[in-house]
Amino acid sequence: MDRAAQNRAILIICVSVFMMALDYSMLNISLPAVASRFGADMSAIKWLPIIYMAIMTMLFLVSGRLGDIRGHSKIFIWGLSIFTVGTFLCGFSANLAVLIAFRSFQAVGEAMYSPMSVAIITTLLPMGSRGKALGFLAMSQGVGFCAGPALGGFLNTHFGWQAIFFVNVPIGIAVIASAVRLLPAGTTAASPERVFDFSFFRNMDFTYAFASAVLAISTVVGVSFMGPFYFEAARGIDISRAGFILTLPSLAMLVTAPFSGWMADRFGGRPVCMAGMFLATLSFAAFSFVGSGTPMAHLVASFMLLGAAMGVFVPANNKLVMSLAPMDRQGAASGLYKIALNLAGIAGIAAFTAAISRVPGNGAAAVEGAFRGAFFLGVVISSLAFVFAALARDPAAVDKAGQL
């Protein structure tokens, strides 16, 4: 495949990742509005993201392996089509149960096309260029996460929460049409056996990198879920302003992600992952001291530091995990990696919600104390992620050790 065709494929994948991040972040900032519309509290509305991620987690391995067998591009197009139809249907939800049902259908589509995004990149590009391309993917994700809260807040204020779904439909149609025309068919050389292949975990470096991803992403998903509720309950900030503030960590991620891919190509994934988790631990430590008198600049800086940390960590960890998997198992490995992220999201939302709920009282001091406890939980989890990142060796280091 020539360079121009590779660039077109990367652009299609980047736009699909942008759409996925935009969908997630617009809904996340809209959760208080959706909860208010349907008369649900935080303990009820949390099932909207949890069920979505649970469905994807159950299907990622199957879809990843199906991509290895049927072709990554084909599964990518099928999945994106289902996702786009589900997005359209979500806008017509009459109650929370119907919205969860349509989001579940949407989750099936994302479970199909999301693992293919990474698999297409890693099978199309040579090893020395993958980190840079994965950095662009993370940057596209950052753009979606950056635009989502502000756009979601604007759409909620002026058009209602249903508009956050409709805005993604034309993007999905455009990406599907481009993918049908421009993505290569790919190969189907993999054997159809062992769909649920956990032999990856015999490689302890893969296991350590995988565990680091689970822990790291649980913190950022947990704090992203509770962020809108924090600004509303503890700070009394309206959805539009909160949406603007929550774009800032994604903006920081957008800046650092491309450099992370380049550094991972040059220096290896482990030191870059360690740097990302060190910064994440610092950000949660800063969050742990927030109170009613904490300047808004302190909160903004803490959020931006967390976003920068994830921009450093995610592309490097992504490359490290995929480079530790066999080339004929990239779809299955990508599925496992996506499972890590979704298990992380489910665990993060549950853990951070539980940390908030365990603090008694409803006054301002109790609310602030509840959120501080949740932020301290982030310090503990991100510290563990740093340890696992330090244990995961790059393939070059493993080969060198094996020769000694």
Side-chain angles (χ1 to χ4, degrees), residues 211-256:
S212 180
V214 170
L215 293 168
I217 303 303
S218 70
T219 61
V220 73
V221 172
V223 78
S224 296
F225 172 78
M226 72 180 192
F229 294 97
Y230 171 77
F231 285 118
E232 181 181 289
R235 290 287 176 144
I237 295 175
D238 63 67
I239 189 171
S240 295
R241 190 179 173 199
F244 172 75
I245 294 171
L246 291 174
T247 64
L248 298 177
S250 300
L251 184 61
M253 181 179 179
L254 178 64
V255 172
T256 58

Side-chain angles (χ1 to χ4, degrees), residues 299-359:
L299 277 170
V300 169
S302 301
F303 270 112
M304 290 191 73
L305 182 58
L306 180 60
M310 289 300 108
V312 171
F313 175 81
V314 171
N317 179 265
N318 201 332
K319 182 191 177 184
L320 182 57
V321 169
M322 297 302 290
S323 64
L324 289 165
M327 280 304 298
D328 65 341
R329 306 288 292 165
Q330 291 289 294
S334 180
L336 275 174
Y337 187 77
K338 294 296 183 178
I339 284 176
L341 304 190
N342 280 272
L343 287 175
I346 293 169
I349 291 172
F352 278 73
T353 303
I356 294 169
S357 302
R358 288 178 64 86
V359 178

Side-chain angles (χ1 to χ4, degrees), residues 138-223:
M139 185 175 69
S140 302
Q141 188 177 49
V143 172
F145 283 133
C146 185
L151 180 59
F154 174 82
L155 292 174
N156 267 277
T157 301
H158 297 284
F159 301 101
W161 62 267
Q162 296 92 337
I164 67 173
F165 295 106
F166 294 139
V167 74
N168 247 341
V169 173
I171 302 175
I173 293 172
V175 177
I176 292 165
S178 300
V180 170
R181 248 184 97 228
L182 301 174
L183 281 185
T187 60
T188 58
S191 167
E193 299 176 1
R194 296 187 303 160
V195 172
F196 295 94
D197 185 1
F198 295 100
S199 63
F200 295 108
F201 294 106
R202 295 173 188 166
N203 182 339
M204 292 308 299
D205 296 297
F206 180 94
T207 302
Y208 293 141
F210 189 88
S212 180
V214 170
L215 293 168
I217 303 303
S218 70
T219 61
V220 73
V221 172
V223 78

Side-chain angles (χ1 to χ4, degrees), residues 2-150:
D2 61 36
R3 186 61 180 266
Q6 289 178 355
N7 290 338
R8 287 194 294 269
I10 292 171
L11 179 60
I12 290 169
I13 300 302
C14 284
V15 176
S16 74
V17 170
F18 162 80
M19 184 176 70
M20 178 174 58
L22 186 69
D23 172 82
Y24 174 85
S25 56
M26 285 195 300
L27 179 59
N28 193 63
I29 193 63
S30 305
L31 286 175
V34 174
S36 176
R37 169 65 180 82
F38 295 136
D41 58 15
M42 184 188 284
S43 62
I45 204 69
K46 74 179 181 183
W47 291 107
L48 191 57
I50 285 178
I51 291 175
Y52 187 89
M53 288 185 285
I55 289 172
M56 287 196 295
T57 301
M58 290 186 292
L59 296 178
F60 270 148
L61 272 179
V62 176
S63 62
R65 191 59 181 144
L66 190 61
D68 288 335
I69 298 167
R70 298 290 185 182
H72 300 139
S73 297
K74 183 182 293 186
I75 303 304
F76 175 86
I77 293 167
W78 289 354
L80 194 57
S81 301
I82 294 172
F83 178 87
T84 303
V85 171
T87 302
F88 179 73
L89 293 175
C90 284
F92 295 98
S93 302
N95 54 55
L96 183 59
V98 174
L99 179 57
I100 289 175
F102 287 149
R103 283 288 286 175
S104 299
F105 180 73
Q106 190 182 13
V108 174
E110 185 173 339
M112 293 175 67
Y113 91 79
S114 183
M116 299 305 100
S117 303
V118 177
I120 290 170
I121 294 297
T122 56
T123 52
L124 284 181
L125 300 180
M127 178 67 76
S129 302
R130 291 175 196 164
K132 183 178 179 181
L134 293 172
F136 282 126
L137 255 65
M139 185 175 69
S140 302
Q141 188 177 49
V143 172
F145 283 133
C146 185

